[in-house]
Amino acid sequence: MTATERVATYVPGGAEPLSYQVMTALAQHRMATSAQLHTLLRPDATRQALLGPLNMLRTQGFVDRVTLPSSGRSLAWYLTPEGARLTRDWPDLRGRPPYPITSTSAASLRTPHTLTAVRAHIAFVCQARERGDEHGHLDWTPEVAHSLGDGERIIADAVLHYTVRAEGERTKLRAFVEIDRATTSSERLATKLIDYARLHTYAPVPPGRRPAKAPAPSWQRWYPLFPRVLFILTAASERTLAHRVEDLQAMTAEHPAVAALARVVPLAAARLEELEEQGTSAPVWQPLAGGPRQAWTDL
């Protein structure tokens, strides 16, 4: 039996091997550095424990790597097209559209935004471990699209699933996450709020007939409550990022649909560096509707 046949016929049990977890993590996130995979999957082990499975998978043609510029030869790993085909129907990834990276050139183009999103995810993973909450390497789904009608759609940079455990109770929280590296105008960033306001009210009507009652919003097909909307900002000066948060707040105050959304859905922004330094549950989130900074779980 070939290596491909062995992996393809493997059915994961309660404790998947590290090579399986590596491939699911790369399928979920598209790309991650060796250090990020170590933090996500084996924080208590040495980094060498991860390099063996990675190099084995590379030899088998399922993963490849690219050297990050100006990083002391740090490596970012991604699935090859063969690895993407292999993982497509794995139980942990069913329903997840495959987004294979087909070359080192393609990997290099996606590196900054993708690895920044993984940084943000890791901040939530580390906070969950510290607090005893539930949030693992598959509880962050990048690039989730939802229809807005008329051929338009909104693509969230990620959907976050997080379960708070406190006093014997479990509270499930969800959030749409937008990663902002200040590569577009502040106005364009703020207009993303309008798209979320449209998604909140969008209810498609079946063609050819008038429904007896108003159809339910389409987001209820996937979420029991409309997820929070969190903006995570980085890669610019504090002053620049502060101005971008101000523009998000101005959009929230001035646009009628966004203001209506803010009355029922928590909207907030935070700097990535503060999340990494203080923890995602620290009072570092600025509510876009105004008020003092607070923890995202308290919004």
Side-chain angles (χ1 to χ4, degrees), residues 27-282:
Q28 187 84 346
H29 294 285
R30 294 196 183 184
M31 179 187 295
T33 67
S34 304
Q36 287 174 333
L37 288 169
H38 175 258
T39 302
L40 283 173
L41 302 175
R42 289 294 188 276
D44 298 327
T46 66
R47 291 192 180 181
Q48 293 300 319
L50 203 67
L51 291 179
L54 281 168
N55 288 324
M56 178 195 70
L57 291 169
R58 183 169 185 249
T59 299
Q60 294 172 340
F62 298 135
V63 307
D64 206 347
R65 65 191 188 187
V66 62
T67 302
L68 301 178
S70 305
S71 65
R73 299 192 61 78
S74 294
L75 300 174
W77 298 83
Y78 58 93
L79 293 183
T80 63
E82 177 66 18
R85 283 192 294 271
L86 190 63
T87 59
R88 184 171 51 204
D89 296 323
W90 282 5
D92 291 338
L93 299 167
R94 284 182 185 142
R96 175 82 178 108
Y99 295 111
I101 294 173
T102 56
S103 67
T104 55
S105 297
S108 297
L109 292 173
R110 294 202 59 87
T111 296
H113 183 85
T114 302
L115 295 186
T116 301
V118 178
R119 279 178 61 193
H121 174 41
I122 285 175
F124 284 93
V125 169
C126 291
Q127 184 73 89
R129 288 174 181 157
E130 181 179 323
R131 290 168 48 100
D133 294 335
E134 300 172 23
H135 180 72
H137 68 282
L138 295 177
D139 293 326
W140 173 284
T141 307
E143 300 189 30
V144 178
H146 293 296
S147 173
L148 297 175
D150 298 324
E152 297 183 73
R153 60 180 184 164
I154 181 173
I155 303 177
D157 284 334
V159 173
L160 163 72
H161 296 265
Y162 192 102
T163 301
V164 177
R165 299 171 62 181
E167 299 179 356
E169 296 185 357
R170 299 168 67 249
T171 303
K172 294 182 180 295
L173 302 175
R174 301 163 191 83
F176 293 121
V177 180
E178 293 295 325
I179 305 296
D180 175 52
R181 298 177 48 254
T183 55
T184 62
S185 70
S186 185
E187 181 177 1
R188 183 175 177 183
L189 173 68
T191 58
K192 199 69 182 278
L193 285 167
I194 301 176
D195 290 337
Y196 281 111
R198 292 176 61 193
L199 177 62
H200 186 253
T201 59
Y202 173 60
V205 177
R209 59 188 180 89
R210 293 175 61 88
K213 60 180 181 179
S218 63
W219 60 263
Q220 291 184 2
R221 294 176 57 190
W222 300 281
Y223 315 105
L225 296 174
F226 195 85
R228 291 162 164 78
V229 181
L230 304 178
F231 289 82
I232 299 177
L233 298 82
T234 189
S237 68
E238 288 191 28
R239 181 179 181 182
T240 296
L241 297 183
H243 288 329
R244 294 175 80 81
V245 173
E246 290 171 1
D247 289 345
L248 287 168
Q249 291 179 313
M251 179 66 75
T252 303
E254 296 168 4
H255 193 285
V258 179
L261 176 69
R263 286 192 287 270
V264 292
V265 175
L267 315 174
R271 290 178 55 235
L272 176 56
E273 289 72 16
E274 288 190 320
L275 301 181
E276 293 175 324
E277 294 166 5
Q278 301 182 44
T280 57
S281 294

